[in-house]
Amino acid sequence: MKLIIIAAFLAIAAAVPSSYKPEYKAPSYSAPSYPAPKYPAPAYPAPAYPAPAYPTPSYNKDNKYADITITSQSDERNIDGSSQWSYAQSDYTTREESQVQKKIQGVIYDSYGKESYGEVFGNTNKGSSYWISPEGDKFTLTWAADEAGFQPKGDHLPVAPVHEYELPVAPVHEYELPVAPVHIPFNGKGYKIY
């Protein structure tokens, strides 16, 4: 019954005419028009800077490196972290180098700073260089750098001397060890216990 009364009340409220006019339109205003301001255009004088006086480069006549140029050059970078590059100069100096990322055993740190030993990514590097000294000597240097460290090789590098010697031998003593005396306990009254 209550439902019927509420429904009838809502129907009557919906049927009552509204006091609002449905054809209401907001007023329209025209945009204001202002006259453009008239300012004189600024007149800036053109700057007059004197030309810089650089001295003409002079090269020493004895400079035998003035005409060295790069004759070839390459550089490759790969997504996996590997790379290789090289160059050659007009004085026959050359250099080549390659790098590869590799898993090696090393120290790793967790998020708390605790270190442990495990597999880490490291760079291995190898390359070579060739050049001629001002005295005319020809040098070739090759190297590798990996988990074993930096290992350069070249005929011009010093070599550690090799010592050939016999290790000393400790002398052998022939003697008889002393025998400790036998302890015979007493019973506290001065008599030996057998």
Side-chain angles (χ1 to χ4, degrees):
M1 180 76 170
K2 290 180 184 178
L3 182 61
I4 295 173
I5 295 173
I6 293 174
F9 180 73
L10 289 175
I12 293 171
V16 174
S18 174
S19 63
Y20 296 109
K21 294 180 182 178
E23 63 271 351
Y24 175 77
K25 293 182 182 177
S28 63
Y29 299 102
S30 61
S33 62
Y34 299 107
K38 295 182 180 181
Y39 299 111
Y44 298 111
Y49 298 112
Y54 297 116
T56 305
S58 61
Y59 297 102
N60 186 356
K61 292 180 182 178
D62 295 333
N63 185 359
K64 49 181 146 179
Y65 307 112
D67 298 328
I68 296 175
T69 58
I70 302 290
T71 57
S72 70
Q73 183 176 1
S74 70
D75 190 358
E76 294 179 25
R77 310 288 169 143
N78 302 319
I79 295 175
D80 63 355
S82 64
S83 66
Q84 59 185 10
W85 60 271
S86 65
Y87 69 85
Q89 293 178 317
S90 59
D91 66 342
Y92 305 108
T93 299
T94 61
R95 178 150 181 195
E96 300 174 351
E97 193 168 334
S98 65
Q99 165 192 316
V100 177
Q101 285 196 340
K102 177 180 171 183
K103 279 190 178 180
I104 57 176
Q105 293 294 320
V107 177
I108 56 176
Y109 298 94
D110 65 5
S111 57
Y112 297 105
K114 181 181 177 187
E115 63 181 56
S116 60
Y117 200 69
E119 284 190 340
V120 295
F121 276 102
N123 290 334
T124 61
N125 191 318
K126 59 174 112 170
S128 66
S129 239
Y130 171 80
W131 70 95
I132 301 173
S133 73
E135 293 80 26
D137 298 330
K138 297 177 182 178
F139 294 100
T140 301
L141 175 68
T142 58
W143 69 88
D146 53 18
E147 60 269 13
F150 182 69
Q151 305 127 35
K153 294 178 184 171
D155 294 336
H156 63 286
L157 295 177
V159 179
V162 178
H163 295 286
E164 297 288 337
Y165 56 90
E166 191 173 319
L167 292 175
V169 179
V172 178
H173 297 284
E174 297 287 336
Y175 58 90
E176 195 174 313
L177 294 174
V179 178
V182 178
H183 176 69
I184 301 174
F186 291 91
N187 63 0
K189 297 181 183 172
Y191 299 103
K192 292 183 184 178
I193 302 173
Y194 291 101

